[in-house]
Amino acid sequence: MPRYYRYLGELMDEGVERISSNELSVRMKVTASQIRQDLNNFGGFGQQGYGYNVQYLYEEIGSILGLDCQHNVIVVGAGNMGQALANYVKFEKRGFVITGLFDINPALIGTMIRGIKIYSMDQLPEFVRNNRVDIAVLTLPKERAEQAAETLVRLGIHAIWNFAHLDLDLPEDVVVENVHLSDSLMQLSYNIVKNRREQQNK
Amino acid sequence: MPRYYRYLGELMDEGVERISSNELSVRMKVTASQIRQDLNNFGGFGQQGYGYNVQYLYEEIGSILGLDCQHNVIVVGAGNMGQALANYVKFEKRGFVITGLFDINPALIGTMIRGIKIYSMDQLPEFVRNNRVDIAVLTLPKERAEQAAETLVRLGIHAIWNFAHLDLDLPEDVVVENVHLSDSLMQLSYNIVKNRREQQNK
DNA sequence: TAGATTGTTAATCGATTAACAATC
DNA sequence: TAGATTGTTAATCGATTAACAATC
């Protein structure tokens, strides 16, 4: 669904008002059948003989994705990745507001990033008690990530965006989305090898 | 495959010598059948009655993933994300060596990150001519990403790790691996909404 | 030889695609 | 009404799982 949302956003920017599953399928390089199937799973957003209204569909998908309300986000681990994410302004536009960073590095604690304060890890429980936190971003080395994740869950956080290089083993009512950059890079490397082989066989 | 590699690495660290598809399936939370099927696609790495030798399998998968040789990497876009990636030392251990960063920001050009120089975008063609480049990391805002990708391909680069928030439209002999962070965050948000619904229905 | 566990085939399942009737 | 295009069902395909014979 995020991918549909992205393409519909682009269409809006281009001022396109309506689009058929067929036109969209060309753009997105999926079948029209696929699109109609997917969109229909979430409700009848189209109209026979007309297609889909871009803005309406964009907003509907946005609300399905939960983008119609604000999410308060904390970043646990203010290293390079944590800082990079904190500096990334675009998330804010989609309603993901970073309210605090946390680290154990004394050199970082107390400093600010884009107006967001870096707290000590010790301050985490208190912070979570006093502020609503919807999502925790986990940008720690894997050695400390497992334990931090458990702490977060104990504090009542139910959603983790995990950048640590391990699979978290958490209760099923906790939602985890993994970004395994190393895996992604290896996948690229694998595809390079495969591609090389295929090109040779031509 | 990267996930297998990761788990086998962990097993090695724990000093485990051999493992059966069954034991591994418990750890990785996939079926034993799946594991045997997957591994067998790439060759008979196991032995009936014994299981799989962890180190042997680790190395075999490593070579399938192309981790047995060095990859020279450039980072195009030395913003927060580009810098974060350049600072990430672990990639180097897997043979991915960053040899240069590129940006248009005059304030960055000429400075160093972890001993790696930031060049002007203008210097890109010359750099690629004089140095082998296996992978280009694209960490630019989407407005400039498309054009940069085309430049990279024109210069003969065949693999792009794309962090820009768009799908690149490139010749099929160019391998692209996407890391769409916004999509990932929206996916998380979607799963939060879904999870909330499911918990309520209990 | 007996036990364990793979490699591999067959069965199941889910997801994708095709087709077309419903309807704007 | 005719044309367009969805919603939805049926057919196809691929991936996952189960089963078991091969073999260490």
Side-chain angles (χ1 to χ4, degrees):
Chain A
M1 290 311 268
R3 192 151 178 268
Y4 286 116
Y5 190 74
R6 181 147 51 87
Y7 275 84
L8 287 163
E10 285 174 16
L11 284 166
M12 292 226 311
D13 290 346
E14 293 170 25
V16 179
E17 244 179 52
R18 69 188 187 90
I19 193 156
S20 69
S21 57
N22 229 303
E23 290 169 276
L24 191 55
S25 78
V26 174
R27 268 195 180 240
M28 292 186 65
K29 293 180 182 163
V30 293
T31 63
S33 234
Q34 178 84 266
I35 292 173
R36 292 205 297 278
Q37 197 78 261
D38 286 347
L39 296 181
N40 209 240
N41 270 347
F42 291 98
F45 300 134
Q47 196 168 76
Q48 283 99 331
Y50 172 85
Y52 300 88
N53 179 292
V54 174
Q55 183 171 356
Y56 172 67
L57 190 54
Y58 181 79
E59 281 162 13
E60 283 296 320
I61 295 181
S63 115
I64 287 165
L65 293 174
L67 305 178
D68 50 355
C69 54
Q70 185 180 315
H71 301 263
N72 289 333
V73 179
I74 58 170
V75 177
V76 179
N80 294 118
M81 187 53 71
Q83 292 191 25
L85 292 174
N87 272 307
Y88 201 55
V89 191
K90 273 229 182 114
F91 295 144
E92 212 123 298
K93 281 199 221 136
R94 292 276 142 76
F96 300 92
V97 180
I98 299 177
T99 55
L101 290 106
F102 295 85
D103 209 295
I104 53 165
N105 184 348
L108 290 172
I109 295 165
T111 62
M112 306 278 260
I113 291 186
R114 210 165 53 83
I116 309 157
K117 200 169 162 190
I118 303 183
Y119 298 92
S120 149
M121 281 297 276
D122 303 333
Q123 296 171 275
L124 186 59
E126 198 197 326
F127 186 95
V128 177
R129 260 197 303 279
N130 297 332
N131 302 275
R132 204 186 89 200
V133 175
D134 301 302
I135 297 172
V137 184
L138 202 54
T139 43
L140 289 171
K142 70 161 175 260
E143 296 73 32
R144 289 194 284 120
E146 184 83 68
Q147 204 213 317
E150 277 159 25
T151 304
L152 289 166
V153 171
R154 214 167 24 241
L155 292 170
I157 290 172
H158 284 274
I160 294 179
W161 200 18
N162 176 39
F163 285 73
H165 195 217
L166 84 167
D167 296 324
L168 299 171
D169 191 19
L170 298 172
E172 66 158 15
D173 66 330
V174 178
V175 179
V176 177
E177 172 77 18
N178 293 305
V179 179
H180 289 321
L181 292 183
S182 316
D183 285 14
S184 171
L185 184 52
M186 288 187 217
Q187 188 63 46
L188 176 62
S189 167
Y190 169 68
N191 287 330
I192 293 171
V193 175
K194 205 170 68 175
N195 187 261
R196 197 177 298 147
R197 240 192 339 259
E198 279 164 15
Q199 294 301 320
Q200 275 170 2
N201 289 348
K202 275 192 183 160
Chain B
M1 290 313 268
R3 193 152 176 268
Y4 286 116
Y5 190 73
R6 182 147 50 87
Y7 275 85
L8 288 163
E10 286 174 17
L11 285 166
M12 292 225 312
D13 290 345
E14 293 170 23
V16 178
E17 243 179 53
R18 72 189 185 88
I19 194 157
S20 69
S21 57
N22 230 303
E23 291 170 274
L24 190 56
S25 79
V26 173
R27 269 197 179 239
M28 293 185 64
K29 294 180 180 163
V30 292
T31 63
S33 235
Q34 178 84 267
I35 292 173
R36 292 206 296 280
Q37 196 78 263
D38 286 348
L39 296 181
N40 210 241
N41 270 348
F42 291 98
F45 301 134
Q47 197 168 74
Q48 283 99 330
Y50 170 86
Y52 299 88
N53 180 290
V54 173
Q55 183 171 357
Y56 172 66
L57 189 54
Y58 181 79
E59 281 163 13
E60 283 297 321
I61 295 181
S63 116
I64 287 166
L65 292 174
L67 305 179
D68 51 354
C69 55
Q70 186 180 316
H71 301 263
N72 289 333
V73 178
I74 58 171
V75 177
V76 179
N80 295 117
M81 186 55 71
Q83 292 191 25
L85 293 173
N87 272 306
Y88 202 56
V89 191
K90 273 229 182 113
F91 296 144
E92 213 124 295
K93 282 198 219 136
R94 292 275 144 75
F96 300 92
V97 180
I98 299 177
T99 54
L101 290 107
F102 295 85
D103 208 295
I104 53 164
N105 183 348
L108 290 172
I109 295 164
T111 62
M112 306 278 260
I113 290 187
R114 209 165 54 82
I116 310 157
K117 200 170 162 187
I118 303 183
Y119 298 92
S120 151
M121 281 298 276
D122 303 333
Q123 295 171 276
L124 186 59
E126 198 198 327
F127 186 95
V128 177
R129 260 197 304 279
N130 297 332
N131 302 274
R132 203 186 89 200
V133 175
D134 302 302
I135 297 172
V137 184
L138 202 53
T139 43
L140 288 171
K142 69 163 178 259
E143 296 72 32
R144 289 193 285 121
E146 184 84 68
Q147 203 212 317
E150 276 160 26
T151 305
L152 289 166
V153 170
R154 214 168 24 242
L155 292 170
I157 290 172
H158 284 274
I160 294 179
W161 200 20
N162 177 38
F163 284 72
H165 195 218
L166 84 167
D167 297 323
L168 299 170
D169 190 20
L170 299 172
E172 66 158 15
D173 66 330
V174 178
V175 178
V176 176
E177 172 78 17
N178 293 306
V179 180
H180 289 322
L181 291 184
S182 316
D183 285 13
S184 171
L185 184 53
M186 288 187 217
Q187 187 63 46
L188 176 62
S189 167
Y190 170 68
N191 287 330
I192 292 171
V193 175
K194 204 171 66 174
N195 186 260
R196 197 178 298 148
R197 242 192 338 260
E198 280 165 14
Q199 296 300 319
Q200 274 170 1
N201 290 347
K202 274 193 184 160

